[in-house]
Amino acid sequence: MATELSLAVRFSNRFGNVSTRYPKIVAGAYGRFDLARALASDPDTVAAKVAAWERAQGHEPRNWAAIGRNEGHAGVDRGAGVNQPPE
């Protein structure tokens, strides 16, 4: 249970840095239950998978970085080291 919670927190921290809604979108793109694989993927791979998933859902892919900046977030996926200080 603690490992699952830690995984969920890391997932939320990383993708929530992009946008409030991005973690939910990433989870959808990765099949809802493959959070570890999403966390291990580099930002470009995640963005491509999200865009493909949005198209498959019948939506035009959104600019999540711009959405996040409009929400007051950084709009940046820093990758797997999100819990590490920036370089």
Side-chain angles (χ1 to χ4, degrees):
M1 175 77 168
T3 303
E4 290 177 21
L5 180 60
S6 176
L7 179 67
V9 169
R10 289 193 333 253
F11 185 88
S12 181
N13 285 346
R14 174 178 170 181
F15 298 115
N17 192 51
V18 176
S19 165
T20 302
R21 294 176 292 165
Y22 199 56
K24 181 178 179 182
I25 299 300
V26 172
Y30 278 84
R32 294 273 173 237
F33 299 108
D34 206 353
L35 304 185
R37 191 168 56 121
L39 278 172
S41 297
D42 65 87
D44 291 335
T45 299
V46 173
K49 190 159 185 81
V50 164
W53 182 78
E54 287 180 307
R55 281 188 208 94
Q57 300 301 310
H59 303 291
E60 186 68 27
R62 290 167 275 189
N63 182 338
W64 286 102
I67 292 168
R69 286 189 300 273
N70 284 336
E71 294 172 346
H73 296 281
V76 176
D77 176 0
R78 296 186 319 198
V82 73
N83 292 320
Q84 303 298 321
E87 297 174 1

